[in-house]
Amino acid sequence: MTKALWDEACRRADAIRDFLKRRTGSTTTGDVAGLAAELGLSQATAYRLIKLFRTGGTVLSLVDRKRGRAEGHRTLDGNRNGLSDPL
């Protein structure tokens, strides 16, 4: 994990922690829109990060993860997965 990823996760955690402290009741769409704007994210991502933080409660739960297959992940070739044409 790079320092930049860690710093961004810490920034997100601080913003979400403050956001949750200010909310005593239910959260409105406008509240989440404000948080999303503050973090420079979509509302859907803000909702996802709030959920991750509530369940995980750690900065690590907010670290951006690399998309796609994990490095070194192997897939079957056409002959092994039944997609090749029989001769």
Side-chain angles (χ1 to χ4, degrees):
M1 172 184 339
T2 66
K3 182 174 177 0
L5 285 175
W6 179 255
D7 289 345
E8 179 61 17
C10 289
R11 184 179 80 87
R12 290 176 176 183
D14 289 341
I16 292 170
R17 195 175 292 116
D18 291 342
F19 174 82
L20 293 174
K21 282 181 187 176
R22 292 189 307 257
R23 305 294 173 265
T24 56
S26 62
T27 304
T28 67
T29 303
D31 296 336
V32 176
L35 175 66
E38 177 185 341
L39 293 175
L41 305 168
S42 69
Q43 279 185 251
T45 301
Y47 276 110
R48 185 176 52 81
L49 291 178
I50 291 167
K51 182 179 178 182
L52 285 170
F53 192 74
R54 281 182 172 159
T55 56
T58 66
V59 174
L60 280 177
S61 63
L62 302 177
V63 173
D64 271 340
R65 285 160 182 77
K66 185 177 175 186
R67 293 183 178 143
R69 288 190 181 102
E71 193 170 319
H73 179 79
R74 297 174 58 174
T75 60
L76 295 175
D77 62 3
N79 292 329
R80 294 184 183 232
N81 66 13
L83 297 177
S84 64
D85 291 332
L87 294 177

